[in-house]
């Protein structure tokens, strides 16, 4: 069998390189705090793995849920102009 070292050889077999041409160095942080350096396709500095909430104590799990899903803002009462002295603001009116 004749081996040809030209551009047609890539069509017959796979390219001898990584799947993505450009990979960026990234720091991966595990849930226990350990870190691993790896190559990632997007330019990021740190990737953090999600924490398994089933292993947390009940109080800490509820606190994390409250931080992720805060309560809805309470409706504010509308201001009324009954208790305001309008003579104090006469200097701001244009005549």
């Amino acid at each position: 069998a004749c081996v040809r070292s030209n551009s047609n050889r890539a069509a017959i077999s796979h390219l001898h390189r990584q799947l993505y041409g450009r990979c960026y160095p990234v720091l991966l942080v595990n849930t226990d705090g350990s870190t691993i350096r790896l190559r990632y396709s997007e330019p990021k500095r740190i990737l953090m793995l999600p924490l398994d909430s089933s292993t947390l104590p009940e109080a800490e799990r509820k606190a994390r849920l409250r931080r992720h899903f805060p309560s809805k803002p309470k409706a504010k009462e509308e201001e009324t102009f009954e208790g305001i002295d309008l003579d104090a603001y006469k200097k701001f009116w244009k005549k």
Side-chain angles (χ1 to χ4, degrees):
C2 180
V3 177
R4 293 186 177 191
S5 297
N6 58 16
S7 63
N8 296 331
R9 184 170 183 221
I12 298 171
S13 68
H14 71 281
L15 293 175
H16 298 287
R17 63 173 73 162
Q18 294 177 350
L19 182 63
Y20 299 105
R22 178 70 169 112
C23 290
Y24 301 90
V26 174
L27 188 69
L28 177 71
V29 180
N30 290 325
T31 56
D32 61 350
S34 61
T35 59
I36 302 169
R37 289 219 170 256
L38 53 91
R39 292 179 303 195
Y40 195 65
S41 61
E42 297 178 13
K44 296 185 178 188
R45 291 190 180 208
I46 295 178
L47 285 176
M48 295 181 71
L49 292 177
L51 185 65
D52 187 15
S53 62
S54 63
T55 60
L56 294 175
E58 187 69 25
E60 189 174 342
R61 188 170 60 81
K62 285 185 179 180
R64 289 179 72 86
L65 283 174
R66 266 188 261 121
R67 276 188 302 219
H68 283 288
F69 304 106
S71 61
K72 294 180 181 176
K74 296 178 181 175
K76 295 181 181 178
E77 295 181 14
E78 292 186 20
E79 294 184 23
T80 58
F81 296 107
E82 295 172 358
I84 296 177
D85 183 22
L86 294 178
D87 292 331
Y89 297 100
K90 274 189 177 180
K91 59 185 174 186
F92 299 115
W93 297 344
K94 291 185 178 181
K95 292 184 181 183

